[in-house]
Amino acid sequence: MQVLALKENQDVVREGDRPSRSCLILSGFVCVYKITGEGKRQIVTFNIPGDIPDLQSLHLKVLDTSVGTITPCSVGFIPHEALHDICIRHPRIMSAFWRETLIDSAIFREWMTSMGRREAYGRIAHLLCEMLVRMKAVGLAEDLACNLPITQAEFGDALGLSTVHVNRILQELRANGLIELKGDRLNILDWDRLKEEGGFDPTYLHLEREREAS
Amino acid sequence: MQVLALKENQDVVREGDRPSRSCLILSGFVCVYKITGEGKRQIVTFNIPGDIPDLQSLHLKVLDTSVGTITPCSVGFIPHEALHDICIRHPRIMSAFWRETLIDSAIFREWMTSMGRREAYGRIAHLLCEMLVRMKAVGLAEDLACNLPITQAEFGDALGLSTVHVNRILQELRANGLIELKGDRLNILDWDRLKEEGGFDPTYLHLEREREAS
DNA sequence: CGGTCATTTGATGATCATCAAAGTCCGTGG
DNA sequence: CCACGGACTTTGATGATCATCAAATGACCG
């Protein structure tokens, strides 16, 4: 596995590429995004250490999204050949990889629900809940706080909102005593109300390790 | 495989279920959806014959979405046990199933982009393009026409719009000579402009069968 | 032929985008 | 050490897109 250090705001892979390897995030934040015909950006997910943002390229030859860094990152590249080998020889590991991509899918479904049917206030609350829970799952968060190096413009691109609107909603969330968010630091002051406002239910993240049937 | 005939507007499986089988759509239209805390519905995808809307339940024990019929349907239920058996014995088939779920994922990403960064007009145009291409891929469409038994309320729930707004945009699309849409019948009059307006690029559907590397 | 469901129309207002500019923070170089 | 520059955040003002409510019309079906 080749390991690269990348600066912030760099593309790891680009829509249209036909990569022969997938990238494992070792440290830092990345996002998966698309650019529309009119040049607008939609971030479809954030990825944190432990994630493989383009694992799908193992089976879908042409990338339909780009992956870009948000912070400086350390990224490991795993040749598809090696992944295929492992998968053929160890069906259980193949299942585990498959399962990871299914969880990504579940996150997409939840984001769609946010964008389609929650207004900005709940949408942001929901995303903050998700990020904290995911960061905790990989040991990168304390009980109610974590680093969250995401700019307001990036929040906007992820949630389908303008930067200005994100800014105003964040101020509301702060004014209502739900969060502190300054620089890279997120501090959740009222977890229950934040969950409530975002309609957040972590089931979709499928975090409890479940015994496989086979 | 057990086959059931279902009426329209019936749930096949429900969020929270822990199914021991997955459902293959043999005929009819279904949708995958979530209900938010405030009782709003978000349809995250439509499924047509040949699709397996809850294949993910093979690896994710708790369903995070419901599947409901849109029209009368014929649905086949395949026990997870049988699927696991096939997967263990035929890694290539396992890969093929995995690939199907990855394409679902790609569709989710595209829908997110629509909802976040396209306005209603383009959003509807895009969905119409997608549905025609997918219907053609399973032999259920002519060159520029197909059955599309989706109500305006369902369009709204899929696109994050109100029924009223969907209605008005559809009238615009008709007035501009892009489509005919009456009852269950969709007729595309100007494919190029419809594609253009929706920013539609079918790459994300990954329809060209690609040779596997292994 | 009434009844249900889907579509259509009109009117009003909320949410959110856009544009422009000012303010803050922080690293860099003179 | 301070000035400069750049990225990010904040503020204000205006208007477009879209939701909501209510009601009418049309289509289909037993």
Side-chain angles (χ1 to χ4, degrees):
Chain A
M1 185 176 77
Q2 185 194 358
V3 175
L4 280 186
L6 299 176
K7 281 181 295 191
E8 65 202 39
N9 275 26
Q10 254 190 300
D11 279 344
V12 185
V13 291
R14 278 208 192 84
E15 190 173 346
D17 285 357
R18 299 170 153 267
S20 61
R21 52 190 199 174
S22 287
C23 59
L24 167 64
I25 308 306
L26 300 171
S27 75
F29 266 63
V30 306
C31 65
V32 179
Y33 69 92
K34 292 192 177 227
I35 303 288
T36 70
E38 289 120 28
K40 300 190 178 184
R41 179 169 76 157
Q42 177 67 43
I43 293 177
V44 297
T45 198
F46 293 111
N47 284 115
I48 62 179
D51 292 339
I52 306 180
D54 63 345
L55 184 50
Q56 86 260 22
S57 65
L58 190 59
H59 295 295
L60 303 179
K61 293 312 165 198
V62 181
L63 274 182
D64 55 68
T65 48
S66 302
V67 177
T69 61
I70 288 187
T71 64
C73 283
S74 170
V75 180
F77 292 92
I78 312 172
H80 285 166
E81 217 177 310
L83 287 169
H84 273 123
D85 273 10
I86 297 178
C87 285
I88 296 288
R89 266 184 296 185
H90 307 286
R92 295 187 94 106
I93 297 185
M94 183 168 177
S95 288
F97 279 135
W98 185 358
R99 185 172 190 273
E100 285 308 306
T101 64
L102 290 172
I103 293 177
D104 291 339
S105 240
I107 294 174
F108 295 153
R109 289 191 289 271
E110 191 66 31
W111 281 38
M112 287 184 54
T113 307
S114 259
M115 296 214 292
R117 290 304 184 211
R118 281 192 260 266
E119 46 191 48
Y121 193 82
R123 227 181 281 181
I124 295 188
H126 189 281
L127 178 56
L128 295 177
C129 289
E130 177 182 309
M131 291 314 296
L132 183 76
V133 170
R134 288 173 61 193
M135 289 291 275
K136 273 215 284 217
V138 293
L140 289 176
E142 300 95 81
D143 201 26
L144 285 175
C146 66
N147 279 344
L148 197 66
I150 297 175
T151 67
Q152 296 181 0
E154 286 157 351
F155 274 120
D157 285 344
L159 297 166
L161 299 169
S162 68
T163 307
V164 172
H165 204 58
V166 168
N167 181 279
R168 291 185 169 125
I169 303 292
L170 284 176
Q171 288 179 54
E172 265 190 73
L173 285 165
R174 284 187 278 240
N176 293 339
L178 299 188
I179 61 164
E180 276 172 12
L181 180 59
K182 195 173 167 63
D184 292 0
R185 195 76 197 152
L186 169 67
N187 223 308
I188 294 180
L189 301 177
D190 191 335
W191 173 250
D192 288 338
R193 269 178 61 214
L194 194 67
K195 253 178 68 175
E196 165 89 24
E197 294 290 355
F200 179 75
D201 169 356
T203 309
Y204 72 98
L205 292 171
H206 299 276
L207 288 174
E208 12 279 341
R209 286 250 144 264
E210 310 160 308
R211 250 173 309 293
E212 302 269 338
S214 65
Chain B
M1 183 175 78
Q2 185 194 358
V3 175
L4 280 185
L6 298 175
K7 281 180 295 192
E8 65 201 38
N9 275 25
Q10 255 190 301
D11 279 343
V12 184
V13 291
R14 279 207 192 84
E15 189 174 346
D17 284 357
R18 299 169 153 269
S20 61
R21 52 191 198 174
S22 287
C23 59
L24 167 64
I25 308 305
L26 300 170
S27 75
F29 265 64
V30 307
C31 66
V32 178
Y33 69 92
K34 292 193 177 226
I35 304 287
T36 69
E38 289 118 28
K40 301 190 176 182
R41 179 169 75 156
Q42 176 66 44
I43 293 178
V44 298
T45 199
F46 294 111
N47 284 114
I48 62 180
D51 292 339
I52 307 179
D54 62 345
L55 185 50
Q56 87 259 20
S57 66
L58 191 59
H59 294 295
L60 303 179
K61 293 312 164 198
V62 181
L63 274 182
D64 54 69
T65 49
S66 302
V67 178
T69 62
I70 287 185
T71 65
C73 284
S74 171
V75 180
F77 292 92
I78 311 171
H80 285 166
E81 218 176 311
L83 287 169
H84 272 124
D85 273 11
I86 297 178
C87 285
I88 296 288
R89 266 184 297 184
H90 307 286
R92 294 186 94 106
I93 298 186
M94 184 167 177
S95 287
F97 279 134
W98 184 359
R99 184 173 190 272
E100 286 308 306
T101 64
L102 290 173
I103 293 176
D104 291 339
S105 239
I107 294 175
F108 295 152
R109 287 191 289 271
E110 192 65 31
W111 281 39
M112 286 184 55
T113 306
S114 260
M115 297 213 293
R117 290 302 183 213
R118 281 193 259 265
E119 46 190 49
Y121 193 82
R123 228 181 281 182
I124 295 188
H126 188 280
L127 179 56
L128 294 177
C129 290
E130 177 182 310
M131 291 315 295
L132 183 77
V133 170
R134 288 174 60 192
M135 289 291 274
K136 274 216 284 216
V138 293
L140 289 176
E142 301 95 81
D143 201 27
L144 285 175
C146 67
N147 279 344
L148 197 64
I150 297 175
T151 66
Q152 295 181 1
E154 286 157 350
F155 274 121
D157 285 345
L159 298 167
L161 300 168
S162 69
T163 307
V164 172
H165 203 59
V166 168
N167 181 279
R168 291 186 168 126
I169 302 291
L170 283 176
Q171 288 179 54
E172 265 192 72
L173 285 166
R174 283 187 281 241
N176 293 340
L178 299 188
I179 61 165
E180 276 172 13
L181 180 58
K182 195 173 168 63
D184 291 2
R185 195 76 196 150
L186 169 67
N187 223 308
I188 294 179
L189 302 177
D190 192 336
W191 173 251
D192 287 339
R193 269 178 61 213
L194 194 67
K195 252 178 69 173
E196 164 89 23
E197 295 288 356
F200 180 75
D201 170 356
T203 309
Y204 72 97
L205 293 170
H206 299 275
L207 289 173
E208 10 282 341
R209 285 251 145 267
E210 309 162 307
R211 250 173 311 292
E212 302 270 339
S214 67

